[in-house]
Amino acid sequence: MRNSKKKLLGISLALLLGVSGLAGCSGFNASTKVDSNGKPSFTIMANLYTPEIPSDKIEKLLEEKTGVDLTIQWTPDTSYEEKLNTAFATETLPEAVFLKNQTTFIQFKEAIRDDQFWEIGPYLSEYPNLSKLNEQIIENTAVDGKIYSLYQGRPLSRQGLIYRKDWAENLGLEAPTSIDDVYEMARAFTEDDPDGNGKDDTFGITDRADLSYGAFKTVASWFGTPNGWGEKDGQLLPEFMFEEYMDSMDYLKKLRDKGYINQDFPVTSKEDQQAFFKNGTAGMYIGSMADVVSLHKDAVTLNPDIEFDVQNKIKGPNGEYGIWAIPGYGNVVLFPKSAVKSEEQLKEILSFFDKLATPEIANLIFWGIEGEHYTVQEGRALTSEDTDLTTREVKPYQSLEIGEPKTNGRYEGLFTLPAKEKAEKLIEDNENYLIHDPTVPLDSATFAERGELLNQKINDATYQYILGDLDKAGFKNAIEDWKKSGGDDVIKEFNDAYQKLNK
């Protein structure tokens, strides 16, 4: 019965209103929620990226190993932000809340400043595993120099190129090492019949409606564009005010004008983008190199002879390679004061998260049960070939991970696909060429309030330029509109914060 209640909780936020813990058990402060067996009891709101709520096999083991009565409120990714905001507005957030992404975290900063979430920085040294979290990444999550959240670590940059190795070999092409090489491969994959079927039925690059995790931001890095913001004439300015941004738009525009990229990429979904690559229509995919394993898995069912390869170092016009970096985290977890009523209760919850950051528990929630969901080979985890099983029983729990292998000690993955093994090495190599966003530790009240609207103005103008609906003068007019709509205030506020930080 308890498990069925958990599943209902995952489906409906409203049911959370009816849940209350029992208090007053020996060994815990009166404000600490405990179950009938005296174990600490609390709820976690987590993002569900899979179609279905997972079985409770991992959850039961997690409760057993941590000594906690846990309710996981699984919320589908497509409605996560809406439910998060609704629960926040009605003060029905549970005790531990994962946000959707970095953007959501920025949106919650004002509420954090308003003392609606616990500051946890002063407590971290009390926990042997939480105290090992990466100091630089922790600082990247700070709000006014204070730590309120635990982070889920992510590689600083997975970005690169995945391409059809068999097509390249058919045409005598080597792995591209420059933007000119990428352009030539895109041309050849479109015009030179790379699959040898005598038909004009292929094109070079498949892309989607995402200027960050699609092709554009990675291409912009190759051109030397700043990551988000850069320094020019002694002040921070947004990336789109740099010539390299314009050069990147020109490059994508030329690819589209020539037919070397899908014409409707500004409205193409990720699923459709990947379908072009999997079904043999397109030969190049610019984005996360880690995607090669899932792309290959589906592609070989259509063409058993297909071969993929990956490449990271694409040099720009200046002969140098750089790649944009995230701040080292993909998500964070916060602890609302509306749900966590006392310091003692907070410490009980942090104790649970400290256990999540141990090798045993980190492996459990990331890889599953050894011998059932994965095996250990060469000191790394090799997942079961039954991907339906791991998706159903394990993958959702990866949303709970705290830290990363270097800090929580879990196994790195072992992959049988050579291109995936190579991708993991290139992702690590990317750390030598990172372009950081200098505004990550900074705040702008105007950006927090109007950032989404301001970003949309530039996103629209960028697509319109690539599509040929705006010329350079029109794009500059869009920048002026951005500035008048609050952008000038954002520039001032980020620069003021930057000066304070670097005094």
Side-chain angles (χ1 to χ4, degrees):
M1 176 65 77
R2 184 169 62 84
N3 185 55
S4 64
K5 287 183 179 178
K6 289 180 184 178
K7 291 192 175 183
L8 287 169
L9 280 162
I11 297 168
S12 173
L13 255 170
L15 294 184
L16 182 62
L17 295 169
V19 177
S20 61
L22 302 173
C25 181
S26 175
F28 299 107
N29 181 272
S31 62
T32 298
K33 292 168 67 174
V34 296
D35 70 359
S36 57
N37 295 315
K39 294 191 295 184
S41 172
F42 64 92
T43 300
I44 296 174
M45 181 176 176
N47 203 328
L48 182 66
Y49 294 100
T50 55
E52 298 178 2
I53 290 172
S55 74
D56 64 352
K57 182 183 292 186
I58 302 294
E59 184 176 339
K60 286 179 177 177
L61 280 172
L62 188 56
E63 289 181 319
E64 179 186 320
K65 291 176 181 296
T66 60
V68 166
D69 179 14
L70 189 65
T71 299
I72 302 174
Q73 186 181 314
W74 297 111
T75 306
D77 180 66
T78 51
S79 58
Y80 198 85
E81 204 162 7
E82 178 187 350
K83 299 234 174 157
L84 179 66
N85 290 330
T86 299
F88 173 70
T90 56
E91 295 191 348
T92 56
L93 287 172
E95 290 87 348
V97 181
F98 283 94
L99 302 185
K100 183 176 171 69
N101 50 35
Q102 295 167 34
T103 302
T104 317
F105 184 40
I106 291 170
Q107 293 168 351
F108 268 79
K109 282 188 176 181
E110 282 308 307
I112 290 170
R113 289 192 180 95
D114 195 34
D115 200 32
Q116 297 191 51
F117 294 90
W118 282 91
E119 180 190 355
I120 63 170
Y123 303 104
L124 296 184
S125 62
E126 300 176 24
Y127 300 91
N129 304 299
L130 298 181
S131 61
K132 296 176 188 173
L133 291 173
N134 185 295
E135 189 174 339
Q136 181 59 60
I137 300 174
I138 283 281
E139 288 177 6
N140 284 343
T141 71
V143 178
D144 300 334
K146 298 178 181 179
I147 307 304
Y148 294 85
S149 60
L150 302 173
Y151 71 86
Q152 292 179 350
R154 293 291 183 270
L156 289 165
S157 183
R158 293 185 170 117
Q159 308 312 112
L161 170 69
I162 306 173
Y163 67 96
R164 285 289 297 270
K165 183 180 181 181
D166 49 339
W167 284 10
E169 289 177 347
N170 289 345
L171 300 177
L173 297 173
E174 300 290 332
T177 59
S178 70
I179 51 173
D180 291 338
D181 291 346
V182 170
Y183 185 88
E184 171 56 21
M185 181 173 276
R187 183 208 64 77
F189 282 0
T190 308
E191 298 179 350
D192 295 349
D193 192 21
D195 56 3
N197 67 357
K199 299 177 182 178
D200 182 17
D201 58 357
T202 61
F203 62 87
I205 299 170
T206 180
D207 196 18
R208 66 178 185 264
D210 186 337
L211 288 176
S212 292
Y213 292 96
F216 182 79
K217 195 172 179 71
T218 297
V219 168
S221 290
W222 298 342
F223 274 89
T225 309
N227 178 9
W229 290 70
E231 194 166 346
K232 182 194 286 188
D233 301 328
Q235 70 169 332
L236 293 180
L237 291 172
E239 60 187 356
F240 49 83
M241 291 187 182
F242 288 75
E243 280 302 312
E244 293 86 351
Y245 191 95
M246 181 67 69
D247 294 341
S248 305
M249 291 196 297
D250 285 335
Y251 185 82
L252 266 294
K253 184 178 188 305
K254 187 177 178 183
L255 284 168
R256 185 180 179 277
D257 289 347
K258 292 287 188 177
Y260 302 160
I261 191 170
N262 48 312
Q263 297 292 286
D264 60 348
F265 77 87
V267 294
T268 300
S269 67
K270 183 177 181 178
E271 291 75 17
D272 288 343
Q273 175 209 18
Q274 293 190 344
F276 282 132
F277 196 61
K278 294 173 185 176
N279 66 23
T281 304
M284 305 169 77
Y285 177 96
I286 299 172
S288 172
M289 292 182 288
D291 288 345
V292 69
V293 69
S294 58
L295 291 169
H296 183 268
K297 175 181 176 289
D298 291 342
V300 292
T301 63
L302 301 172
N303 176 6
D305 299 323
I306 202 166
E307 286 187 74
F308 290 160
D309 204 352
V310 290
Q311 175 73 338
N312 66 330
K313 293 181 187 174
I314 308 294
K315 295 178 181 178
N318 60 2
E320 296 179 1
Y321 170 62
I323 193 67
W324 66 282
I326 65 170
Y329 66 92
N331 201 351
V332 298
V333 58
L334 294 170
F335 307 95
K337 288 190 172 181
S338 59
V340 182
K341 300 296 187 181
S342 70
E343 181 182 47
E344 289 77 11
Q345 188 183 7
L346 176 68
K347 286 184 174 183
E348 287 292 347
I349 296 168
L350 288 177
S351 180
F352 166 80
F353 280 95
D354 187 65
K355 291 170 184 172
L356 286 192
T358 61
E360 180 186 11
I361 307 300
N363 282 322
L364 174 67
I365 61 175
F366 198 89
W367 299 115
I369 302 167
E370 185 176 353
E372 186 172 341
H373 301 112
Y374 74 100
T375 56
V376 179
Q377 296 183 24
E378 302 171 29
R380 293 190 287 170
L382 179 63
T383 56
S384 166
E385 292 183 2
D386 187 348
T387 53
D388 290 338
L389 174 71
T390 54
T391 297
R392 187 172 65 251
E393 296 188 353
V394 182
K395 190 173 182 180
Y397 291 93
Q398 294 178 353
S399 295
L400 307 182
E401 184 180 27
I402 299 299
E404 59 276 287
K406 287 181 181 177
T407 55
N408 62 30
R410 73 163 169 83
Y411 296 119
E412 297 275 12
L414 177 69
F415 305 98
T416 55
L417 180 68
K420 174 63 172 175
E421 277 287 292
K422 183 178 177 182
E424 293 300 310
K425 289 182 173 65
L426 297 187
I427 289 167
E428 189 172 345
D429 182 58
N430 269 350
E431 297 199 9
N432 298 306
Y433 307 94
L434 299 172
I435 305 171
H436 292 283
D437 182 347
T439 65
V440 166
L442 308 179
D443 289 301
S444 159
T446 304
F447 188 76
E449 179 187 346
R450 303 186 208 168
E452 191 172 345
L453 172 65
L454 290 170
N455 286 342
Q456 194 59 54
K457 286 178 179 292
I458 297 301
N459 289 352
D460 289 346
T462 300
Y463 283 130
Q464 287 167 3
Y465 183 90
I466 294 170
L467 293 174
D469 297 332
L470 272 186
D471 58 12
K472 289 189 178 182
F475 188 78
K476 288 180 180 177
N477 288 338
I479 293 176
E480 290 303 311
D481 179 46
W482 179 91
K483 291 167 71 176
K484 291 174 184 176
S485 301
D488 276 335
D489 292 331
V490 174
I491 291 173
K492 182 180 185 305
E493 289 162 7
F494 272 143
N495 276 280
D496 288 347
Y498 188 64
Q499 295 301 323
K500 288 179 184 176
L501 190 68
N502 290 283
K503 272 186 178 179

